[in-house]
Amino acid sequence: RMYELKLVGHGHKDEDLIQALQHILALNRNQVKQMLAEVPVTLLTGITRKKAEMLSAQLSLHDGVTEYNPMQ
């Protein structure tokens, strides 16, 4: 079963979160900052539950609030 990962909020460690998202999503800084302005936003779709859990844990270290759900 495939999952989607959404960013639903973030804290005050924007710089750390921006760098983490740039690395995970292979996007530039401006693209990531635009995404943060549009929260909630889907980060990835069609990933395994294990990958969703791993990325969710990684982003939580940088004050990213995520949720992952099975795709319909």
Side-chain angles (χ1 to χ4, degrees):
R1 187 161 204 186
M2 303 311 278
Y3 284 75
E4 66 178 5
L5 179 67
K6 289 185 177 183
L7 182 69
V8 295
H10 56 92
H12 300 291
K13 294 184 188 176
D14 280 359
E15 190 56 42
D16 292 344
L17 183 60
I18 288 169
Q19 289 180 5
L21 287 169
Q22 279 182 272
H23 179 74
I24 291 168
L25 302 173
L27 296 175
N28 69 40
R29 182 177 183 77
N30 288 339
Q31 290 170 308
V32 171
K33 286 177 91 170
Q34 181 67 38
M35 288 178 79
L36 290 180
E38 297 173 359
V39 167
V41 63
T42 300
L43 300 176
L44 294 167
T45 59
I47 58 176
T48 63
R49 181 183 178 117
K50 186 170 188 151
K51 182 166 185 166
E53 290 171 344
M54 181 189 73
L55 293 173
S56 183
Q58 186 177 350
L59 292 173
S60 73
L61 294 174
H62 305 293
D63 283 353
V65 181
T66 58
E67 62 183 38
Y68 51 91
N69 299 298
M71 294 177 66
Q72 299 301 327

